[in-house]
Amino acid sequence: MTTSAPPLPDPELRGRTTVADRAVERLAAAAAAEVDLATGSARRVLGLPVSDPDRPRVTARVHGDEATVEVDLAVAWPAPVGQVARRVRARVAEQLADLAGLRAVRVDVRVTALPAQRAPERPRVR
């Protein structure tokens, strides 16, 4: 004999989903890393790198269904910094809306380094 579960209440009466600041930071870092020519920037102490620059560093604060985000990244030289920053802002806002249902009210991008872009290796001719 099977018993059916009682029907669920309307969605607005079921409760509330919250997304932690740390989850938003990870989503935003991944989104920023997807933008061409935007990379991570190593933390520095006395001018020396002390961390791996694999992904941009992000700080985020969630307030209800809105988020404010700060992204620290490097832009590969000689890419247009303003253009890369605009693409990062747009990508972060888009991903937060799509994946977390959050509206990015502010996405600040701070470019902390301009590393030279590596040229592709050419085959050696003998």
Side-chain angles (χ1 to χ4, degrees):
M1 182 172 15
T2 61
T3 59
S4 62
L8 291 174
D10 291 334
E12 60 273 359
L13 301 175
R14 289 185 203 165
R16 180 178 174 159
T17 301
T18 58
V19 181
D21 294 348
R22 183 69 182 132
V24 172
E25 290 170 357
R26 288 179 182 216
L27 287 172
E34 293 173 359
V35 175
D36 287 339
L37 304 173
T39 64
S41 180
R43 291 185 191 270
R44 294 180 175 273
V45 174
L46 300 175
L48 299 172
V50 294
S51 69
D52 186 22
D54 59 345
R55 278 197 172 177
R57 288 190 312 273
V58 176
T59 304
R61 297 289 174 258
V62 178
H63 309 282
D65 62 349
E66 298 178 338
T68 57
V69 180
E70 296 175 2
V71 182
D72 290 349
L73 55 80
V75 174
W77 178 260
V81 175
Q83 191 176 68
V84 172
R86 278 190 295 280
R87 290 196 320 250
V88 167
R89 277 189 207 96
R91 185 66 181 156
V92 167
E94 175 185 304
Q95 288 291 79
L96 290 182
D98 290 347
L99 299 175
L102 296 173
R103 184 171 70 88
V105 293
R106 192 178 84 222
V107 178
D108 292 334
V109 176
R110 184 177 343 176
V111 176
T112 59
L114 298 170
Q117 186 176 12
R118 292 183 183 164
E121 287 190 27
R122 296 181 183 165
R124 293 184 179 186
V125 178
R126 292 183 184 192

